[in-house]
Amino acid sequence: MKRWKAVLSLLLIFGFISSPGFAANKHNKIVVSMNGRKHTVTEVPVLMDGQAIDIGIPNFIHQDYTFVPIRFVEKYGAEVSWDQKTKTATVVQKDKEIKMTINSSDVYVNGQKQVVDKVLAPKLVTFSNKDTRTMIPFRLVAEILGHEVGWDNSNKVPFINTKTNKVPDNNSNTMEITNVLVDKGSTNIPKIIINGTDNFKYSTALLENPHRLVIDIEDAKLNLKNIPFENGVGILNVNSGPISKINITQFSKSPDVVRIVVHLSEKVDFDILSGKDNKSLNISFVNRVGKIEKENIDGKEALVIYNTNKPKTNTMKLKNPDRIVIDLLDSSLEAGSYVEYNHNIGFIEKVRVSQFEPDNNYKSNDRIVRVVLDVKNGISDPNIKIDTYDNRIVIIPETSIWETINYSLKGKDRTISINANKKTEYDIDYNSHGKVMTISLPLDSLDLKEGYASINDGLVKDIQITKEGNKAKVVINLMRSAEYSILSNRVDNKISVSLSRDSNIKPSDRIIVIDPGHGGKDPGAVQNGVNEKDVNLAVSHKINEGLKNKGYTTIMTREDDVFIELKERANIANRNMADLFISIHSNSNPNANVSGIQVLYHSKDKTNVKKEETYNLANIIMEEIVKGTGAENKGLLAREKTVVIRDTNMPSVLIELGFLTNPNESQLLNDEVYQELLAESIIRGIERYFEIY
Ligand SMILES: [Zn+2]
């Protein structure tokens, strides 16, 4: 009976009883893609407490099971978070926590593993509009959370009843509301926190004329000490952001219902989340981030983010790999925890959007939607222009030359194409001495936008478009000599050139940076009377001499016993656009018996270097050292955070020459003849690598 009153009171607020907005003929077949395979599935409405729930993403039946967008569970009060690294979604409602990982049939309920049928594993599903969403099994999740679910056979639709909670309630336990307060996050938009003595059972309604949010909390009594009451109404004057004031009343007794009315100055969306202890409610007024579309704005290709409000944004550029991040503050992602768009504009390869778990830059209860623009391989330091029109955020990739030029890097080949506005003749001039390629074409054959784009892919430095008399010129500045072939016809409307590094490179064209580890105040490992920094420097000098004798261009990050920061070591190689970076170290281990060689390489692709290439480099060098010295192979180690191999833009390895903690190897490492053997082996490795790359 109690429950009915609360439901009824809400129905009275709405002033009407809506009818289910579905029809049996809505059961369309749609084609979706899961794990790279196409499936035909049946679109189906899902009824929640008699209402069809539409969040703009289709629910569907796949192999007899209904899948809903993960956001769906928020409609019945559960909280969703997403870990992009592990592709794991966490759904929390009251005392239940469910962890599910994409494509995994292991489901964790309050930490306990349950293995479900493979077909029930959560999926990343791409719809025909190219939007990718996380879809979860509707029945499994709702049942774990304790809701009544079923199948309405007359309408052929699944339903969930949240009002008839299967978990028995302890009705005698009326909770107390102990505080209502207003807090601010990183922006000045206030949030409301309601504290109670037990779990909240509540319903909400957002009303107009005047704008207000009504929150009814069931089985609750007021026990507020810090809030002034007038005629039975607690009043908090806020006058900040969208909130003008908050009224709190004991709306009814037996059943006990507390009503909190938030008076708003404008129509604004809200998020209501349970606190971590389930004994509080956090209400934030948020912008909802809807679709991101590729559109043409004033003749320029642009990304448009559709919002329900005008959020503040933070934009930052991140490296390794290059990407531009736009954080939308006080925002919530309509589509759920994660969406991907394959929008390809200018330097932008892909757009990823997520409900971002606040990091150190933010307060822990901030609501942030993070939009990540992934940058095409080979393009460095791109820029965007952000404009706001009403509730739309418009992002235009700034380098306008990308409207005329295409650039791609595949393997070792770069392809540069110019889109002419008609079939045209053109001239290609390659100056191998100045390392410049110039493509000239008649001015009227190009919609000329003069501009410049930095590339820095190890071969192409930058591309410039200029006007010279009645010619348009595309100037490609190179870092080193190139081989090229013309892919387009003599007369063509798309002029394409493929470029790769000259395969007859002279040794002097190869720049190798040798990095003796540690130095100065930092001795590295000190064992058996030997300083690591000294061994590293001695072997590095020998590598340097050997390479110079063979005609290579070399740079040492230190030539003496001096201290150099790790970042600076990587910078030296980057500034000099080195071809290779070799860091020399010696090892230590608590077990004095351990001996042998380790080679560390970066565990991920870098901007211009594929992981395979650095792995091959590490492997070749290991082979040569083992062959040359007879030392034991102690393994190739993939490392993610080792600065010198992570932050260098070229293939790089860190070689551990041996263990100073092993008395025998320590003696060898201090021996000039052995050092010479190590250096020669490493040089042979470098030369073998250059034969391939
Ligand atoms: Zn070291």
Side-chain angles (χ1 to χ4, degrees), residues 570-593:
N571 286 342
I572 290 170
N574 293 342
R575 275 202 301 275
N576 288 287
M577 291 189 286
D579 295 273
L580 207 58
F581 177 91
I582 309 281
S583 189
I584 301 294
H585 283 251
S586 311
N587 232 329
S588 61
N589 193 290
N591 180 350
N593 293 323

mmCIF file of all heavy atoms in Angstrom, residues 570-593:
data_model
loop_
_atom_site.group_PDB
_atom_site.id
_atom_site.type_symbol
_atom_site.label_atom_id
_atom_site.label_comp_id
_atom_site.label_asym_id
_atom_site.label_seq_id
_atom_site.Cartn_x
_atom_site.Cartn_y
_atom_site.Cartn_z
ATOM 1 N N ALA A 570 66.213 11.337 -24.168
ATOM 2 C CA ALA A 570 65.287 11.094 -25.286
ATOM 3 C C ALA A 570 65.211 12.320 -26.186
ATOM 4 O O ALA A 570 65.189 12.203 -27.415
ATOM 5 C CB ALA A 570 63.906 10.739 -24.740
ATOM 6 N N ASN A 571 65.212 13.508 -25.563
ATOM 7 C CA ASN A 571 65.129 14.741 -26.356
ATOM 8 C C ASN A 571 66.321 14.897 -27.299
ATOM 9 O O ASN A 571 66.164 15.395 -28.413
ATOM 10 C CB ASN A 571 65.048 15.963 -25.436
ATOM 11 C CG ASN A 571 63.675 16.067 -24.798
ATOM 12 O OD1 ASN A 571 62.714 15.459 -25.281
ATOM 13 N ND2 ASN A 571 63.582 16.825 -23.723
ATOM 14 N N ILE A 572 67.502 14.509 -26.819
ATOM 15 C CA ILE A 572 68.698 14.625 -27.667
ATOM 16 C C ILE A 572 68.468 13.837 -28.961
ATOM 17 O O ILE A 572 68.705 14.320 -30.064
ATOM 18 C CB ILE A 572 69.958 14.114 -26.918
ATOM 19 C CG1 ILE A 572 70.316 15.087 -25.790
ATOM 20 C CG2 ILE A 572 71.135 13.927 -27.874
ATOM 21 C CD1 ILE A 572 71.391 14.573 -24.834
ATOM 22 N N ALA A 573 67.951 12.636 -28.821
ATOM 23 C CA ALA A 573 67.700 11.795 -30.000
ATOM 24 C C ALA A 573 66.599 12.400 -30.873
ATOM 25 O O ALA A 573 66.711 12.434 -32.101
ATOM 26 C CB ALA A 573 67.319 10.387 -29.563
ATOM 27 N N ASN A 574 65.541 12.912 -30.241
ATOM 28 C CA ASN A 574 64.427 13.478 -31.010
ATOM 29 C C ASN A 574 64.838 14.740 -31.757
ATOM 30 O O ASN A 574 64.485 14.925 -32.911
ATOM 31 C CB ASN A 574 63.239 13.769 -30.091
ATOM 32 C CG ASN A 574 62.627 12.488 -29.533
ATOM 33 O OD1 ASN A 574 62.853 11.402 -30.066
ATOM 34 N ND2 ASN A 574 61.870 12.616 -28.464
ATOM 35 N N ARG A 575 65.588 15.626 -31.058
ATOM 36 C CA ARG A 575 66.027 16.875 -31.700
ATOM 37 C C ARG A 575 66.889 16.601 -32.916
ATOM 38 O O ARG A 575 66.821 17.302 -33.901
ATOM 39 C CB ARG A 575 66.859 17.696 -30.698
ATOM 40 C CG ARG A 575 66.062 18.577 -29.769
ATOM 41 C CD ARG A 575 66.959 19.700 -29.227
ATOM 42 N NE ARG A 575 68.121 19.226 -28.503
ATOM 43 C CZ ARG A 575 68.116 18.909 -27.202
ATOM 44 N NH1 ARG A 575 66.996 18.984 -26.507
ATOM 45 N NH2 ARG A 575 69.217 18.514 -26.606
ATOM 46 N N ASN A 576 67.697 15.570 -32.839
ATOM 47 C CA ASN A 576 68.621 15.269 -33.932
ATOM 48 C C ASN A 576 68.006 14.342 -34.966
ATOM 49 O O ASN A 576 68.672 13.904 -35.889
ATOM 50 C CB ASN A 576 69.905 14.651 -33.382
ATOM 51 C CG ASN A 576 70.748 15.692 -32.664
ATOM 52 O OD1 ASN A 576 71.351 16.543 -33.307
ATOM 53 N ND2 ASN A 576 70.752 15.653 -31.340
ATOM 54 N N MET A 577 66.720 14.029 -34.790
ATOM 55 C CA MET A 577 65.997 13.132 -35.688
ATOM 56 C C MET A 577 66.815 11.872 -35.972
ATOM 57 O O MET A 577 67.049 11.497 -37.118
ATOM 58 C CB MET A 577 65.613 13.861 -36.969
ATOM 59 C CG MET A 577 64.551 14.917 -36.690
ATOM 60 S SD MET A 577 63.855 15.667 -38.146
ATOM 61 C CE MET A 577 65.174 16.724 -38.653
ATOM 62 N N ALA A 578 67.283 11.262 -34.896
ATOM 63 C CA ALA A 578 68.121 10.075 -35.015
ATOM 64 C C ALA A 578 67.344 8.925 -35.641
ATOM 65 O O ALA A 578 66.112 8.895 -35.603
ATOM 66 C CB ALA A 578 68.622 9.671 -33.636
ATOM 67 N N ASP A 579 68.084 7.973 -36.231
ATOM 68 C CA ASP A 579 67.461 6.788 -36.800
ATOM 69 C C ASP A 579 67.332 5.689 -35.766
ATOM 70 O O ASP A 579 66.523 4.782 -35.918
ATOM 71 C CB ASP A 579 68.325 6.260 -37.954
ATOM 72 C CG ASP A 579 68.382 7.240 -39.078
ATOM 73 O OD1 ASP A 579 67.491 7.192 -39.928
ATOM 74 O OD2 ASP A 579 69.307 8.085 -39.089
ATOM 75 N N LEU A 580 68.182 5.752 -34.749
ATOM 76 C CA LEU A 580 68.255 4.657 -33.800
ATOM 77 C C LEU A 580 68.744 5.197 -32.464
ATOM 78 O O LEU A 580 69.553 6.122 -32.420
ATOM 79 C CB LEU A 580 69.278 3.649 -34.338
ATOM 80 C CG LEU A 580 69.141 2.189 -33.952
ATOM 81 C CD1 LEU A 580 67.773 1.677 -34.379
ATOM 82 C CD2 LEU A 580 70.235 1.386 -34.645
ATOM 83 N N PHE A 581 68.228 4.618 -31.395
ATOM 84 C CA PHE A 581 68.644 5.034 -30.053
ATOM 85 C C PHE A 581 68.996 3.777 -29.271
ATOM 86 O O PHE A 581 68.190 2.862 -29.148
ATOM 87 C CB PHE A 581 67.488 5.785 -29.375
ATOM 88 C CG PHE A 581 67.771 6.212 -27.968
ATOM 89 C CD1 PHE A 581 68.318 7.460 -27.689
ATOM 90 C CD2 PHE A 581 67.474 5.368 -26.902
ATOM 91 C CE1 PHE A 581 68.563 7.860 -26.378
ATOM 92 C CE2 PHE A 581 67.725 5.761 -25.593
ATOM 93 C CZ PHE A 581 68.271 7.006 -25.337
ATOM 94 N N ILE A 582 70.242 3.731 -28.769
ATOM 95 C CA ILE A 582 70.714 2.553 -28.048
ATOM 96 C C ILE A 582 71.146 2.988 -26.650
ATOM 97 O O ILE A 582 72.081 3.770 -26.506
ATOM 98 C CB ILE A 582 71.942 1.918 -28.766
ATOM 99 C CG1 ILE A 582 71.664 1.678 -30.250
ATOM 100 C CG2 ILE A 582 72.404 0.651 -28.056
ATOM 101 C CD1 ILE A 582 70.850 0.468 -30.579
ATOM 102 N N SER A 583 70.433 2.514 -25.635
ATOM 103 C CA SER A 583 70.786 2.864 -24.264
ATOM 104 C C SER A 583 71.540 1.690 -23.644
ATOM 105 O O SER A 583 71.138 0.537 -23.789
ATOM 106 C CB SER A 583 69.510 3.170 -23.473
ATOM 107 O OG SER A 583 69.846 3.706 -22.218
ATOM 108 N N ILE A 584 72.644 1.989 -22.967
ATOM 109 C CA ILE A 584 73.534 0.943 -22.451
ATOM 110 C C ILE A 584 73.500 0.936 -20.915
ATOM 111 O O ILE A 584 73.774 1.957 -20.280
ATOM 112 C CB ILE A 584 74.985 1.175 -22.951
ATOM 113 C CG1 ILE A 584 75.024 1.159 -24.484
ATOM 114 C CG2 ILE A 584 75.941 0.140 -22.364
ATOM 115 C CD1 ILE A 584 74.691 -0.172 -25.122
ATOM 116 N N HIS A 585 73.135 -0.193 -20.346
ATOM 117 C CA HIS A 585 73.049 -0.337 -18.885
ATOM 118 C C HIS A 585 73.667 -1.661 -18.441
ATOM 119 O O HIS A 585 73.928 -2.537 -19.262
ATOM 120 C CB HIS A 585 71.581 -0.320 -18.431
ATOM 121 C CG HIS A 585 70.988 1.050 -18.423
ATOM 122 N ND1 HIS A 585 70.685 1.732 -17.283
ATOM 123 C CD2 HIS A 585 70.649 1.875 -19.457
ATOM 124 C CE1 HIS A 585 70.173 2.920 -17.588
ATOM 125 N NE2 HIS A 585 70.137 3.026 -18.909
ATOM 126 N N SER A 586 73.858 -1.789 -17.117
ATOM 127 C CA SER A 586 74.253 -3.067 -16.527
ATOM 128 C C SER A 586 73.270 -3.378 -15.410
ATOM 129 O O SER A 586 72.712 -2.474 -14.807
ATOM 130 C CB SER A 586 75.673 -2.999 -15.990
ATOM 131 O OG SER A 586 76.523 -2.436 -16.980
ATOM 132 N N ASN A 587 73.115 -4.648 -15.130
ATOM 133 C CA ASN A 587 72.006 -5.149 -14.332
ATOM 134 C C ASN A 587 72.421 -5.492 -12.903
ATOM 135 O O ASN A 587 73.615 -5.574 -12.600
ATOM 136 C CB ASN A 587 71.493 -6.434 -14.993
ATOM 137 C CG ASN A 587 70.000 -6.377 -15.211
ATOM 138 O OD1 ASN A 587 69.298 -5.749 -14.439
ATOM 139 N ND2 ASN A 587 69.543 -7.028 -16.259
ATOM 140 N N SER A 588 71.404 -5.729 -12.060
ATOM 141 C CA SER A 588 71.696 -6.318 -10.752
ATOM 142 C C SER A 588 70.528 -7.198 -10.342
ATOM 143 O O SER A 588 69.424 -7.059 -10.867
ATOM 144 C CB SER A 588 71.952 -5.226 -9.712
ATOM 145 O OG SER A 588 70.805 -4.433 -9.576
ATOM 146 N N ASN A 589 70.797 -8.143 -9.445
ATOM 147 C CA ASN A 589 69.770 -9.091 -9.002
ATOM 148 C C ASN A 589 70.118 -9.565 -7.597
ATOM 149 O O ASN A 589 71.289 -9.752 -7.286
ATOM 150 C CB ASN A 589 69.734 -10.288 -9.973
ATOM 151 C CG ASN A 589 68.496 -11.150 -9.769
ATOM 152 O OD1 ASN A 589 68.367 -11.837 -8.754
ATOM 153 N ND2 ASN A 589 67.581 -11.088 -10.721
ATOM 154 N N PRO A 590 69.098 -9.746 -6.731
ATOM 155 C CA PRO A 590 69.386 -10.233 -5.370
ATOM 156 C C PRO A 590 70.096 -11.587 -5.378
ATOM 157 O O PRO A 590 70.842 -11.909 -4.446
ATOM 158 C CB PRO A 590 68.005 -10.379 -4.732
ATOM 159 C CG PRO A 590 67.044 -9.701 -5.640
ATOM 160 C CD PRO A 590 67.682 -9.518 -6.968
ATOM 161 N N ASN A 591 69.865 -12.356 -6.420
ATOM 162 C CA ASN A 591 70.506 -13.664 -6.527
ATOM 163 C C ASN A 591 71.814 -13.525 -7.302
ATOM 164 O O ASN A 591 71.818 -13.248 -8.501
ATOM 165 C CB ASN A 591 69.543 -14.627 -7.233
ATOM 166 C CG ASN A 591 70.136 -16.022 -7.378
ATOM 167 O OD1 ASN A 591 71.336 -16.237 -7.130
ATOM 168 N ND2 ASN A 591 69.298 -16.953 -7.789
ATOM 169 N N ALA A 592 72.935 -13.724 -6.620
ATOM 170 C CA ALA A 592 74.253 -13.512 -7.233
ATOM 171 C C ALA A 592 74.546 -14.515 -8.344
ATOM 172 O O ALA A 592 75.461 -14.319 -9.143
ATOM 173 C CB ALA A 592 75.336 -13.588 -6.160
ATOM 174 N N ASN A 593 73.754 -15.590 -8.431
ATOM 175 C CA ASN A 593 73.999 -16.586 -9.484
ATOM 176 C C ASN A 593 73.473 -16.141 -10.842
ATOM 177 O O ASN A 593 73.866 -16.675 -11.866
ATOM 178 C CB ASN A 593 73.330 -17.913 -9.123
ATOM 179 C CG ASN A 593 74.000 -18.541 -7.920
ATOM 180 O OD1 ASN A 593 75.225 -18.452 -7.779
ATOM 181 N ND2 ASN A 593 73.201 -19.135 -7.042
#
